[in-house]
Amino acid sequence: MPKIARYAVVPVSLPDEDPEWKFAGQAYPHWDACIVALVAEDGTIGWGYAAAFTHLGATNAAVESVLHRLATPLVGRDALAIEGNLRLVDKGIRGNAPAKSGIDCALHDLAARLLGVPLHRLFGGRVRDAIPVCRMLALKDPDGMATQARARIDEGFRCLKLKVGGDVAEDVARVRAVRRAVGPEVRLTLDPNMSFRAKDAIAFVARVAEYGVEMIEQPVRETDLDGLALVTRTVPIAVEADESAHSPESTFALAAHRVVDAVSLKVTKMGGLRNVFAAARICEAAQLGCRMGATVGSRLLTAHAVQLCAALPNLSFPSEVAEFLHVMDDPFEGLEVRDGAVWISDEVGCGVRLRPEIAWRI
């Protein structure tokens, strides 16, 4: 029975190549996180990434503090007892999904490495070879977003998600500019990040219908489920929950009441791979669409998400699993992106590795 011998937490702050990268209400010139390392008795290391997203109420200092609290009781425990270890983590503190996701991912990575298998084997094995990608466009003026869009298309991507800001006229201009820049074949989705009221969201969707938009993500506040349901019933395109789907329980409620058409799954938001897997199964049972939402940060975060995606049979939209491409100074390497998709690695563990020049003391 391999045991967890020790752990380490390494805070990082990774700059974005675009210092003006932002979405409605939030700017992210850099991406803060804590890297979690769980080390088995034989020296095998399982890696996890705990993102400190300010829009999820997290800071690096707070995440680091919680990680120490959650990881300490794991020392000496069976490294393969993922479920029992995560139950202990859940009891350790309420909430704190970003920190818990880092522990969860490190536990899964460690178990996969000890067993000598790719991480997707822990969730039933892969059902696809690649994950089609949707690339995000940061919130800018219409010309700036059109420039971003052309760059992503030149890189080979064929699905884009536009961040919009909640002003109907300005946002229509953004969508118009992007569609003219990329032509009719590129798939477009929209993300207001909760910046609309329900009636404004409905009016906005009506005005952009001519531009062939497929889906709008979380148009209203996360707690406004009546407004979210009203938008879903009214507009002709798919409506996706993001902030309103923050756990398996909230996903179940959305499915039971048919509030949305689809759910954005996120490892950090939902507290780890185990919870995302549960939410995906709920979507499958309820015949809701789902995809992996934004995994912005190190390749390490994306690698865990991609390994889980490999085993999910019901992904119905391209996933946002290539955003590490605009994050600089990444301490991890790996992941293959080509033909508008991220390809599944069969390496042992999550499929990425620490760069050889990184000399952390673990």
Side-chain angles (χ1 to χ4, degrees):
M1 181 180 71
K3 293 184 178 180
I4 299 171
R6 64 186 187 277
Y7 76 91
V9 177
V10 182
V12 297
S13 186
L14 310 178
D16 197 284
E17 67 178 11
D18 177 5
E20 297 181 352
W21 203 103
K22 65 179 180 179
F23 58 84
Q26 296 285 340
Y28 280 96
H30 52 82
W31 303 92
D32 293 339
C34 289
I35 307 297
V36 185
L38 297 179
V39 187
E41 293 171 307
D42 67 354
T44 301
I45 300 176
W47 298 101
Y49 184 91
F53 293 140
T54 54
H55 68 280
L56 294 181
T59 65
N60 244 15
V63 170
E64 181 179 6
S65 175
V66 173
L67 285 170
H68 283 292
R69 177 173 177 174
L70 297 178
T72 298
L74 297 179
V75 174
R77 290 180 59 88
D78 182 356
L80 298 179
I82 296 175
E83 185 64 29
N85 288 332
L86 288 177
R87 285 177 180 269
L88 185 65
V89 167
D90 283 338
K91 291 178 181 179
I93 195 167
R94 288 186 57 129
N96 289 272
K100 288 180 177 178
S101 73
I103 299 287
D104 172 290
C105 288
L107 284 167
H108 282 93
D109 190 38
L110 179 60
R113 292 178 190 272
L114 288 169
L115 294 170
V117 299
L119 195 152
H120 60 70
R121 291 283 187 89
L122 303 183
F123 293 97
R126 70 181 187 180
V127 296
R128 56 177 57 82
D129 294 324
I131 312 299
V133 167
C134 178
R135 288 301 309 271
M136 296 165 55
L137 303 183
L139 185 65
K140 297 181 182 295
D141 62 30
D143 288 342
M145 295 192 76
T147 298
Q148 286 184 83
R150 284 191 294 267
R152 300 294 84 81
I153 298 309
D154 289 344
E155 292 165 357
F157 298 102
R158 291 296 178 266
C159 181
L160 303 174
K161 183 174 86 171
L162 287 65
K163 293 290 189 178
V164 295
D167 182 291
V168 172
E170 290 181 1
D171 291 337
V172 170
R174 291 181 171 107
V175 178
R176 181 190 305 116
V178 168
R179 177 54 81 194
R180 289 176 176 174
V182 301
E185 302 301 321
V186 174
R187 302 174 69 177
L188 298 183
T189 66
L190 307 173
D191 184 9
N193 287 106
M194 308 186 291
S195 59
F196 284 118
R197 295 186 179 186
K199 288 188 176 181
D200 290 332
I202 292 167
F204 171 57
V205 171
R207 291 184 59 181
V208 298
E210 64 181 289
Y211 303 116
V213 173
E214 290 189 12
M215 184 165 65
I216 186 167
E217 175 184 330
Q218 196 69 45
V220 301
R221 297 296 301 176
E222 64 182 292
T223 54
D224 185 12
L225 299 187
D226 289 340
L228 193 55
L230 176 61
V231 177
T232 301
R233 291 194 303 268
T234 305
V235 303
I237 65 173
V239 176
E240 181 183 56
D242 179 5
E243 288 85 353
S244 294
H246 50 80
S247 64
E249 294 82 2
S250 59
T251 302
F252 178 82
L254 293 170
H257 298 287
R258 311 307 297 181
V259 175
V260 291
D261 303 301
V263 169
S264 175
L265 307 168
K266 291 182 179 177
V267 176
T268 297
K269 173 185 69 175
M270 291 185 167
L273 301 174
R274 177 185 59 165
N275 286 342
V276 172
F277 186 71
R281 289 301 191 190
I282 291 168
C283 291
E284 183 179 12
Q287 296 187 322
L288 292 183
C290 69
R291 62 173 175 162
M292 188 62 68
T295 56
V296 188
S298 168
R299 284 169 175 78
L300 178 61
L301 173 62
T302 302
H304 284 99
V306 165
Q307 287 287 317
L308 180 56
C309 283
L312 296 180
N314 62 316
L315 294 179
S316 49
F317 294 94
S319 294
E320 296 159 13
V321 290
E323 295 308 308
F324 63 87
L325 292 173
H326 60 87
V327 177
M328 302 169 66
D329 298 342
D330 191 343
F332 287 82
E333 61 184 7
L335 294 181
E336 181 185 4
V337 183
R338 58 181 170 87
D339 302 327
V342 175
W343 291 76
I344 308 301
S345 169
D346 274 329
E347 291 185 33
V348 169
C350 68
V352 296
R353 65 210 73 86
L354 194 66
R355 293 184 182 276
E357 68 269 22
I358 302 296
W360 291 337
R361 188 170 182 175
I362 302 298

